[in-house]
Amino acid sequence: MAGYAIAPGESTVATLLATTVGTALCIGSANAINQWIETPYDAQMLRTRNRVLGRRSLSQFHAFSFGTLTGVAGVSLLATCVNPLTAVLGATNIGLYTCLYTPMKRTSIANTWVGAVVGAIPPMMGYTAVTNGLDAGAWVLGGLLYAWQFPHFNALAWNLRADYSKAGYRMMAVTDPKLNARVALRYSLAMFPLCLAVPYLDLTSWWFAVDSSVINGVLAWGSYKFWRNSNDKTGRQLFFGSVIHLPVLLALLMIHKRWHLGGKTDEEVEEIIQWEEE
């Protein structure tokens, strides 16, 4: 819930819990319906053939029912206990994942860009749960998650390209490996200006720009090596590097967060604390 934590404004434990549960239900709904749609294709891939639907451990009816019920429950919870905007984002994400991204995987490499939007929306939901608005901070936070997904997924897809090809999925790693590597590098570099925008918007101190540049440099270097020579080794290095990169980046967001308590600046908060200690 990085979006919730970094958002400026007052928050409550009840809203945090409702946002967490509602978002989790929406994500569960999208994943369940996705697996319900892709059951025959998942059975052809080593990575997914042991899923419960592929093994016939769960019926198609139960999977679809679970996806529908969790989706309705998640959106309803967000609408009643958080705010309507966050609920709309949750419902939109379910629709994008199941009705656009999932079918596009077999028709166009553009599916990766749509999938990145799906991954960018949950942190924006956390942000809007606090602010009840889509200001520049929400879009920058979503942009960070959007850009990060390309080096992460494109590296993963490289090592799974044989599986994707067997199942008929149109992934860049299958249809255009050079584009796959270029896109990974391009969006790794995009992390730099996006991270600079965070302190510019006064969400964090400028130390975040310094610290994030270090870890973004490591990600960009891995992407550069993957671009220069795409192979299983550079693909694995970039993938696992991205897995480490994201939680570190989110932790830095929290460490350097600007605390806007009741509209007060960090300096004013420090003065209040010192006054209370005296």
Side-chain angles (χ1 to χ4, degrees):
M1 300 306 295
Y4 192 93
I6 196 64
E10 297 181 4
S11 57
T12 65
V13 174
T15 305
L16 172 61
L17 291 175
T19 304
T20 302
V21 174
T23 303
L25 287 169
C26 290
I27 293 171
S29 170
N31 283 330
I33 296 174
N34 170 72
Q35 291 188 36
W36 172 72
I37 295 171
E38 294 186 337
T39 300
Y41 314 119
D42 283 349
Q44 301 175 47
M45 297 177 61
L46 289 173
R47 186 172 67 98
T48 56
R49 66 184 182 186
N50 287 321
R51 289 176 175 173
V52 290
L53 287 173
R55 300 197 315 267
R56 301 184 184 277
S57 300
L58 187 71
S59 71
Q60 294 278 313
F61 172 77
H62 284 100
F64 182 76
S65 299
F66 175 83
T68 302
L69 291 173
T70 51
V72 171
V75 173
S76 299
L77 179 63
L78 293 171
T80 55
C81 298
V82 183
N83 57 56
L85 175 58
T86 305
V88 169
L89 288 174
T92 300
N93 222 25
I94 294 172
L96 280 174
Y97 196 100
T98 59
C99 300
L100 192 58
Y101 171 64
T102 297
M104 280 185 70
K105 286 163 70 175
R106 299 183 59 78
T107 60
S108 171
I109 62 171
N111 74 78
T112 306
W113 280 266
V114 176
V117 173
V118 172
I121 289 178
M124 297 177 70
M125 293 169 63
Y127 192 97
T128 60
V130 177
T131 64
N132 195 22
L134 285 170
D135 59 26
W139 292 106
V140 168
L141 185 61
L144 285 172
L145 270 292
Y146 177 84
W148 172 84
Q149 287 173 89
F150 288 93
H152 174 74
F153 178 76
N154 287 18
L156 173 68
W158 171 265
N159 285 306
L160 296 175
R161 62 193 184 282
D163 251 6
Y164 282 128
S165 179
K166 185 190 304 182
Y169 289 127
R170 302 279 295 176
M171 299 298 177
M172 279 184 280
V174 175
T175 62
D176 195 339
K178 291 184 178 180
L179 176 63
N180 184 69
R182 285 201 307 273
V183 168
L185 177 59
R186 185 182 306 154
Y187 282 96
S188 293
L189 296 175
M191 295 294 290
F192 288 96
L194 285 167
C195 285
L196 287 175
V198 176
Y200 177 79
L201 295 172
D202 203 32
L203 293 173
T204 67
S205 71
W206 280 98
W207 282 109
F208 174 75
V210 177
D211 291 347
S212 65
S213 294
V214 175
I215 61 169
N216 287 339
V218 175
L219 182 69
W221 176 245
S223 296
Y224 173 76
K225 291 196 297 181
F226 182 61
W227 171 68
R228 286 295 301 269
N229 184 16
S230 295
N231 55 51
D232 292 350
K233 181 181 178 180
T234 56
R236 281 194 300 270
Q237 288 176 339
L238 178 56
F239 172 74
F240 287 112
S242 69
V243 170
I244 297 171
H245 173 274
L246 184 61
V248 173
L249 182 70
L250 298 179
L252 289 175
L253 279 171
M254 286 303 305
I255 292 170
H256 298 301
K257 176 182 176 178
R258 289 283 194 191
W259 296 94
H260 301 274
L261 302 178
K264 297 178 176 62
T265 65
D266 287 358
E267 291 75 14
E268 290 172 328
V269 172
E270 286 183 14
E271 289 180 5
I272 292 172
I273 293 173
Q274 290 175 358
W275 179 80
E276 289 180 347
E277 288 177 348
E278 294 174 355

